[in-house]
Amino acid sequence: MDNLDFRFMDFKETVENLILRENSPLIPEAIDRLFADIANINRESMAEIQDAQIEEMAVNLWNWAVTKRAGLVISEEQKAKLWHIACKLVCMCGGSAASEEAIRRQILMNMKTGKGWVDIGNAVIADQFFQAAVTGLEQLYVTLMQRSSTEVHMTLQKIAVESDLFKVLSYQAEAACAQGDFQRASTCALRCKDMLMRFPQMAGYLHILCYNFGVETHKQNKYEESSFWLSQSYDIGKMDKNSVGPEMLAKVLRLLATAYLDWDDRDNYDKALSAINLANKEHLNPAGLFLKMKVLLKNEIANEELLEATMEIMRFDVSLDFCLNVAKLLMDHEREAVGFYFMKIICEHFKSSENIGKALLLHIEMLLQRKEELLAKEKIEEIILGHQTGRQLTAELVGCLHNILWKKAARSFEVKNYTDALNWYYYSLRFYAVHQTDLDLAKLRRNMASCYLHLKQLDKAKEAMTEAEQRDPTNIFTQFYVFKIAILEGNPGRALQAITTLEKLLIPEDPEKNGPPTDKDSPVMLLSLAAQFALENGQQIVAGKALEYLAQYSEDPQQVLTALRCLFRLVLPRVSQMPESESKKKEMDRLLTCLNTALLKLSQSFNGKALTPDSRANEAQWFRKIAWNLAVQCGKDPVTMREFFILSYKLSQFCPSDQVILIAQKTCLLMAAAVDLEQGRKAPTTFEQTKLLNRALEQIHKCREIWNFLKETGDFSSDPCETLLLLYEFEVKAKMNDPLLDSFLESVWELPHLESKTFETIASLAVEMPAHYPSIALKALKRALFLYKTKESIDVLKYSKCMHNLINLLVPDGVPSTELCPLEEVWGHFEDALSIIIHTEGYPETEILWLMIKSWNTGIFMYGRRKYVSAEKWCGLALRFLDHLGSLKRSYETQVNTLYGELVEALNRKKGSLFNEE
């Protein structure tokens, strides 16, 4: 049956299928559909169905609802809807000609359906059914009167109808009260009250109903309505003393008195007093006595009458706690004279009670509240003496006494009366001396130490903190006061130890076991105070450590940045004067960590509301400059220098991108890339080298983006940035054996602004391990030599060095590299060098000598290869270089000429068949 779909069934079919189901998720849907449909159904729309069938369907639906609600298959609301449907169906049948049985059924169903709607909070719908029930009762009454044959029978029938009418009226009162219709609710209730003469057994029911109405309206602050209902509840309750006991009557009267009291109208205070007196007469209860005291205080009666009322209380068997509550009430209403007198009576009355300490403590507290400090001190001395002589307070009361004393001391401390605060702390200390359980002695000693410090009594403060540290060394406040004392003593070592211990206490030993992180406000606040205190007392090193911890643990970005600013102002002058050492390295690492913290906080606040955009930019600008200056100071530590430059770059990203910032960013990235390249050259493994080169390449690309944008903002023709980026990127690609290296260089060769030095650097990098691109080096050196020669005035020294590198590349170790370059072209380069030597002054003599030796060795190499003509040619070139030597000519002339002569003789002997040079 669960496969059935109620959407495609008519009303009758839906009802029939519903009552056949035991349990199904489709039941709520079917009930809602029937409830929606019943509003549009009348007898005409169901004309094809007989009355008997409709009644049977309604009764079955009603009974099914009762059964399923009992089995918790449907809710109270669903049951009310089903009764609503069944009742509407039944009421369609019969009309004015309905039988007595049908009318009775309709009345019953209307009453129960209305009550069902009231119980689930829909009094508006309920009213419809209650009205229908009343109409049905009237119809039934007429029918019964017409059929009654005797007066006795008529009376019985009338009583039966009125009994049902009583229930309907009570239900209507309930519905009206739920709707806030006091007039209608009270009218219905009073009609029920009038009917109690005939139905006395209903008095208890009506009494509770009115009481409930009184409770609800009191909760809604409708005190006038509440007083009406409670008065009615009391009056009705008195009619049935058998079922309504005096305790309940007293309860009603106490609430009535409370309603009059809460009404807050002086005219009602007398009514409240009458009600509570009557309640206490019905049944005496401590709550009644206490309420009477409240009423009397509201009435502002004279102290004499009030004292008489308190004495009346003592005649009853009431508890100590109750009496103390009355005393508090008197004091709260500023009846000190009566309150203090009553306290004396209480203490005397309960002097043998084991809980008398409660009264004594309250008495002390009341005296202190009224600034009767001398009397309070006398009481405290009495308690201490009694405690020492056997009348000991319980541990709980000892704690309460300490609390009273500490609160009084704290108030004195707040107004800077430190001596008075110490006096109250001494009372607490005396109690600790007697009591074996030191509940919070360390905290007491810390509080006393704070007072001593304000009074400039350093020795006493130190003594107090010695004991506090012994008892509670892991308390953050203990370490804070130890820190303050060490600062005042001029003991920076001890102060550093205390601040370090305080920092360790901020870190849980096992975060998983400790659960969620605790509130850090107090520890962070102490770090801030510690830094300030150290600065005020000239302890800059200690202050720096406190500021460092504050920046580490504070979750307030602005507080962190302020602490770091202060820290840098303290540390930078000292660090800048330190010689290069391990100590300076540690300080630099520390400052690096601090700058990283600043960067983190700026990043966090970027998405929050802690910093405005302008303040964030200002903060970033300040820290950016600090990072830059520290980078400049790290010339001998390139790795650390790089970190500072990178931090400066990252911090600058929070600043407006003007020209100054772009230049700074460009420089930072260039320096970082340069360091990574240098470290890559020294890397011990290929993996590390690749990592460094990739990082450098990333910075080069970022820098090129900035450079391209920067060039649009002004004239940067003298800036070497573009050249450096080119060289850096070439080095990375060459050493990583980039397959796109040649395509990268194609655009380089065409650049018009490159100088000879740039090409020389390219040549050097092209053959620097692990790179090996001699052809690129050759091309670069040729381009460099060409540029040297095209200048109006040739720089002989630079030219000679470049030529040296080119010759060395082409003729390594005296062996010409014919694969790289034909021998004729090599000869041409020697000739070019000789031409410059002949036509230009200042060519370095050592370079001329080197060229001579290089050409001579080449000739000898040719001789060994039986290339005699080439050998003579190259050796002859050596003689031509010899002619241009200066002071060195005499040293080499004889030797070279002799060797050349021997070479010529050997060549002459080999001329002929052997002279077959290719």
Side-chain angles (χ1 to χ4, degrees):
M1 289 183 68
D2 283 343
N3 294 326
L4 294 175
D5 194 335
F6 287 108
R7 293 176 298 174
F8 304 107
M9 299 181 188
D10 60 20
F11 186 87
K12 179 174 178 293
E13 190 178 3
T14 302
V15 173
E16 291 172 347
N17 278 282
L18 178 63
I19 61 179
L20 292 175
R21 290 175 176 268
E22 290 298 323
N23 195 359
S24 169
L26 299 176
I27 288 176
E29 179 188 348
I31 294 173
D32 290 339
R33 185 181 170 205
L34 290 172
F35 184 70
D37 290 347
I38 194 65
N40 302 315
I41 292 176
N42 52 37
R43 190 67 188 91
E44 288 73 22
S45 64
M46 301 182 72
E48 74 279 4
I49 307 176
Q50 298 295 319
D51 281 355
Q53 291 177 297
I54 293 176
E55 289 182 351
E56 181 183 5
M57 180 169 57
V59 171
N60 288 338
L61 189 62
W62 180 284
N63 293 336
W64 185 86
V66 173
T67 303
K68 295 307 174 188
R69 180 56 196 149
L72 302 178
V73 174
I74 60 174
S75 66
E76 284 292 337
E77 182 180 3
Q78 289 167 339
K79 184 186 78 171
K81 287 180 177 180
L82 290 171
W83 280 5
H84 181 113
I85 297 162
C87 190
K88 289 288 185 182
L89 290 173
V90 166
C91 291
M92 291 179 188
C93 304
S96 58
S99 65
E100 178 184 339
E101 181 184 358
I103 295 172
R104 289 185 183 278
R105 182 187 301 117
Q106 290 176 14
I107 293 169
L108 177 63
M109 293 176 77
N110 275 307
M111 288 170 58
K112 289 196 171 186
T113 302
K115 188 65 170 71
W117 281 118
V118 168
D119 290 343
I120 64 170
N122 198 330
V124 175
I125 296 179
D127 278 338
Q128 303 172 17
F129 290 94
F130 293 146
Q131 187 57 48
V134 171
T135 302
L137 286 169
E138 292 172 351
Q139 184 182 359
L140 178 63
Y141 181 79
V142 172
T143 301
L144 292 175
M145 292 303 99
Q146 291 174 351
R147 290 177 48 201
S148 297
S149 56
T150 65
E151 186 174 346
V152 174
H153 185 261
M154 184 182 298
T155 301
L156 292 174
Q157 296 296 336
K158 185 177 179 181
I159 290 173
V161 172
E162 287 185 345
S163 176
D164 287 338
L165 180 61
F166 182 95
K167 292 181 182 178
V168 174
L169 288 170
S170 70
Y171 293 160
Q172 285 183 313
E174 195 172 350
C177 191
Q179 295 175 72
D181 189 346
F182 172 70
Q183 188 63 41
R184 187 157 59 92
S186 59
T187 300
C188 293
L190 290 174
R191 283 188 66 187
C192 288
K193 183 179 179 183
D194 291 341
M195 296 169 70
L196 287 178
M197 294 297 293
R198 294 187 295 279
F199 305 105
Q201 72 277 11
M202 300 302 292
Y205 163 76
L206 190 59
H207 154 74
I208 292 297
L209 187 68
C210 290
Y211 175 76
N212 291 338
F213 291 166
V215 171
E216 288 302 315
T217 49
H218 186 267
K219 288 179 182 178
Q220 299 167 16
N221 300 328
K222 297 177 180 179
Y223 303 119
E224 184 175 5
E225 294 180 18
S226 178
S227 61
F228 169 80
W229 292 119
L230 293 169
S231 296
Q232 294 300 319
S233 177
Y234 175 67
D235 289 344
I236 295 168
K238 287 192 299 180
M239 296 179 186
D240 187 6
K241 290 293 185 76
N242 293 327
S243 60
V244 182
E247 294 89 347
M248 185 61 196
L249 291 174
K251 182 178 179 180
V252 173
L253 289 168
R254 285 196 298 272
L255 184 55
L256 176 60
T258 303
Y260 283 132
L261 205 59
D262 293 341
W263 201 340
D264 205 16
D265 186 337
R266 295 192 61 83
D267 294 337
N268 293 310
Y269 291 161
D270 289 338
K271 294 179 182 178
L273 185 59
S274 297
I276 193 60
N277 283 332
L278 190 56
N280 291 338
K281 184 177 179 181
E282 287 283 355
H283 178 73
L284 188 62
N285 183 285
L289 293 172
F290 190 79
L291 183 56
K292 180 179 179 180
M293 190 61 65
K294 288 178 69 175
V295 173
L296 292 173
L297 288 168
K298 276 281 190 179
N299 264 324
E300 299 181 358
I301 64 170
N303 283 347
E304 292 75 12
E305 294 180 65
L306 196 59
L307 184 59
E308 183 180 344
T310 59
M311 298 305 295
E312 181 184 0
I313 291 174
M314 299 305 295
R315 288 196 288 270
F316 300 106
D317 186 19
V318 290
S319 67
L320 172 61
D321 287 338
F322 176 81
C323 293
L324 294 179
N325 286 333
V326 172
K328 289 179 187 177
L329 183 67
L330 291 167
M331 300 304 290
D332 290 341
H333 284 78
E334 299 181 354
R335 296 298 187 96
E336 288 90 346
V338 180
F340 282 125
Y341 185 80
F342 189 48
M343 280 302 305
K344 291 180 182 178
I345 295 174
I346 292 171
C347 292
E348 179 62 27
H349 184 80
F350 292 98
K351 62 183 178 182
S352 59
S353 170
E354 60 179 12
N355 293 320
I356 186 60
K358 288 184 180 181
L360 298 175
L361 294 188
L362 179 61
H363 198 177
I364 292 170
E365 195 169 9
M366 290 163 61
L367 288 168
L368 290 175
Q369 287 174 357
R370 268 64 189 178
K371 302 190 183 305
E372 298 285 349
E373 295 184 4
L374 290 177
L375 290 174
K377 288 179 180 180
E378 290 178 7
K379 291 292 179 183
I380 294 167
E381 291 286 356
E382 289 178 16
I383 290 177
I384 293 175
L385 180 62
H387 201 70
Q388 292 172 341
T389 56
R391 288 179 292 153
Q392 293 189 348
L393 298 178
T394 64
E396 181 182 359
L397 291 179
V398 170
C400 293
L401 176 59
H402 285 306
N403 191 40
I404 293 169
L405 295 172
W406 288 19
K407 282 184 178 179
K408 182 64 183 74
R411 287 194 291 271
S412 297
F413 189 93
E414 288 173 2
V415 297
K416 300 183 179 181
N417 190 348
Y418 306 115
T419 302
D420 188 61
L422 277 171
N423 288 333
W424 295 107
Y425 283 134
Y426 270 123
Y427 281 123
S428 182
L429 184 63
R430 288 173 63 189
F431 217 90
Y432 275 117
V434 175
H435 197 64
Q436 296 303 311
T437 306
D438 68 348
L439 300 173
D440 220 344
L441 184 53
K443 183 177 180 180
L444 173 61
R445 283 300 195 179
R446 287 194 299 269
N447 293 343
M448 295 178 71
S450 181
C451 295
Y452 286 131
L453 288 174
H454 282 286
L455 294 171
K456 310 297 183 184
Q457 298 178 13
L458 185 58
D459 290 341
K460 290 185 177 180
K462 186 175 181 181
E463 180 183 349
M465 284 314 303
T466 299
E467 183 176 353
E469 190 173 18
Q470 288 174 352
R471 295 179 180 275
D472 194 6
T474 59
N475 184 281
I476 56 174
F477 294 100
T478 298
Q479 294 303 321
F480 177 69
Y481 284 115
V482 169
F483 167 84
K484 290 186 74 171
I485 291 169
I487 291 291
L488 293 173
E489 286 184 324
N491 187 348
R494 183 71 179 93
L496 280 172
Q497 181 184 350
I499 206 70
T500 302
T501 303
L502 177 59
E503 184 266 341
K504 290 178 180 177
L505 294 175
L506 302 181
I507 308 172
E509 295 181 4
D510 189 346
E512 293 184 1
K513 290 184 178 180
N514 288 355
T518 57
D519 182 13
K520 291 187 177 180
D521 285 347
S522 293
V524 169
M525 177 268 294
L526 291 182
L527 289 172
S528 178
L529 293 175
Q532 181 181 348
F533 192 75
L535 286 173
E536 290 171 353
N537 288 274
Q539 294 289 348
Q540 294 189 354
I541 294 177
V542 181
K545 181 58 70 174
L547 289 167
E548 185 179 350
Y549 289 146
L550 176 61
Q552 182 178 351
Y553 291 101
S554 175
E555 295 178 358
D556 178 0
Q558 187 60 67
Q559 186 180 46
V560 172
L561 296 174
T562 302
L564 290 174
R565 273 177 172 260
C566 188
L567 174 62
F568 278 109
R569 290 191 179 101
L570 288 175
V571 176
L572 280 179
R574 178 170 54 85
V575 173
S576 61
Q577 296 176 4
M578 293 175 68
E580 294 299 328
S581 62
E582 189 62 30
S583 297
K584 183 171 184 178
K585 178 68 169 65
K586 288 181 179 179
E587 286 297 313
M588 285 294 187
D589 290 342
R590 176 189 177 195
L591 295 177
L592 190 65
T593 301
C594 291
L595 281 171
N596 273 306
T597 301
L599 176 64
L600 176 64
K601 292 303 175 182
L602 284 169
S603 302
Q604 289 176 344
S605 64
F606 186 79
N607 295 322
K609 299 180 181 179
L611 295 175
T612 64
D614 287 342
S615 64
R616 184 171 60 249
N618 291 335
E619 294 285 358
Q621 185 76 276
W622 194 88
F623 286 106
R624 175 191 74 80
K625 293 177 180 178
I626 293 295
W628 177 283
N629 292 334
L630 287 169
V632 172
Q633 293 181 36
C634 292
K636 295 184 179 180
D637 185 358
V639 175
T640 305
M641 178 176 67
R642 177 202 177 275
E643 295 303 319
F644 281 122
F645 272 127
I646 287 294
L647 272 172
S648 183
Y649 164 73
K650 290 180 178 178
L651 288 163
S652 70
Q653 291 180 304
F654 294 104
C655 302
S657 296
D658 55 23
Q659 192 181 76
V660 172
I661 292 298
L662 291 173
I663 292 172
Q665 289 179 342
K666 177 259 298 183
T667 307
C668 287
L669 290 170
L670 272 178
M671 295 299 295
V675 172
D676 281 337
L677 288 173
E678 180 61 29
Q679 295 301 308
R681 296 178 195 122
K682 301 174 184 178
T685 65
T686 304
F687 174 78
E688 290 182 35
Q689 184 181 59
T690 303
K691 178 181 176 182
L692 289 164
L693 293 176
N694 277 323
R695 193 166 69 175
L697 188 61
E698 182 182 343
Q699 289 147 13
I700 291 165
H701 289 161
K702 288 180 182 177
C703 187
R704 180 166 282 115
E705 290 178 7
I706 295 171
W707 172 245
N708 290 335
F709 183 76
L710 187 60
K711 285 189 294 184
E712 298 176 2
T713 66
D715 181 13
F716 291 91
S717 56
S718 61
D719 194 314
C721 177
E722 191 155 357
T723 301
L724 291 172
L725 288 174
L726 184 154
L727 293 173
Y728 290 169
E729 187 165 3
F730 172 75
E731 180 177 355
V732 172
K733 290 179 178 294
K735 289 182 176 176
M736 294 181 67
N737 197 23
D738 192 327
L740 300 177
L741 181 61
D742 287 335
S743 63
F744 168 76
L745 284 173
E746 285 177 6
S747 59
V748 175
W749 302 131
E750 304 301 324
L751 293 175
H753 63 276
L754 294 183
E755 297 180 352
S756 300
K757 180 62 178 176
T758 303
F759 287 112
E760 288 184 80
T761 304
I762 290 174
S764 174
L765 294 172
V767 292
E768 185 178 273
M769 293 296 292
H772 184 66
Y773 295 95
S775 60
I776 294 175
L778 177 61
K779 188 172 183 178
L781 290 170
K782 286 180 180 180
R783 186 66 59 92
L785 288 170
F786 173 77
L787 291 175
Y788 279 128
K789 289 193 291 184
T790 56
K791 290 185 178 180
E792 292 182 7
S793 176
I794 189 169
D795 190 328
V796 179
L797 291 176
K798 293 181 178 179
Y799 177 87
S800 65
K801 184 178 179 182
C802 183
M803 180 59 76
H804 182 112
N805 291 333
L806 177 63
I807 298 297
N808 208 37
L809 179 68
L810 296 174
V811 190
D813 301 325
V815 181
S817 178
T818 55
E819 293 181 1
L820 188 62
C821 180
L823 193 58
E824 291 77 9
E825 187 176 329
V826 177
W827 173 268
H829 292 307
F830 275 90
E831 287 285 359
D832 287 343
L834 185 58
S835 175
I836 295 297
I837 293 169
I838 293 170
H839 296 97
T840 309
E841 294 182 358
Y843 205 99
E845 188 177 11
T846 52
E847 288 298 319
I848 298 173
L849 176 63
W850 183 82
L851 288 168
M852 181 194 76
I853 295 172
K854 206 70 169 169
S855 56
W856 178 269
N857 289 341
T858 303
I860 297 302
F861 173 76
M862 292 298 176
Y863 181 84
R865 291 292 185 93
R866 302 174 69 182
K867 296 181 179 181
Y868 303 121
V869 175
S870 293
E872 184 177 5
K873 178 181 174 182
W874 281 100
C875 289
L877 181 60
L879 290 177
R880 292 163 66 189
F881 281 115
L882 177 64
D883 290 340
H884 295 282
L885 286 175
S887 60
L888 295 174
K889 184 176 181 180
R890 183 176 299 177
S891 301
Y892 288 93
E893 186 175 18
T894 303
Q895 181 182 0
V896 171
N897 284 328
T898 301
L899 290 172
Y900 184 72
E902 292 175 358
L903 176 66
V904 170
E905 289 179 6
L907 288 172
N908 289 334
R909 286 195 300 271
K910 294 181 180 292
K911 284 180 180 180
S913 61
L914 293 176
F915 194 77
N916 55 355
E917 182 176 345
E918 297 175 1

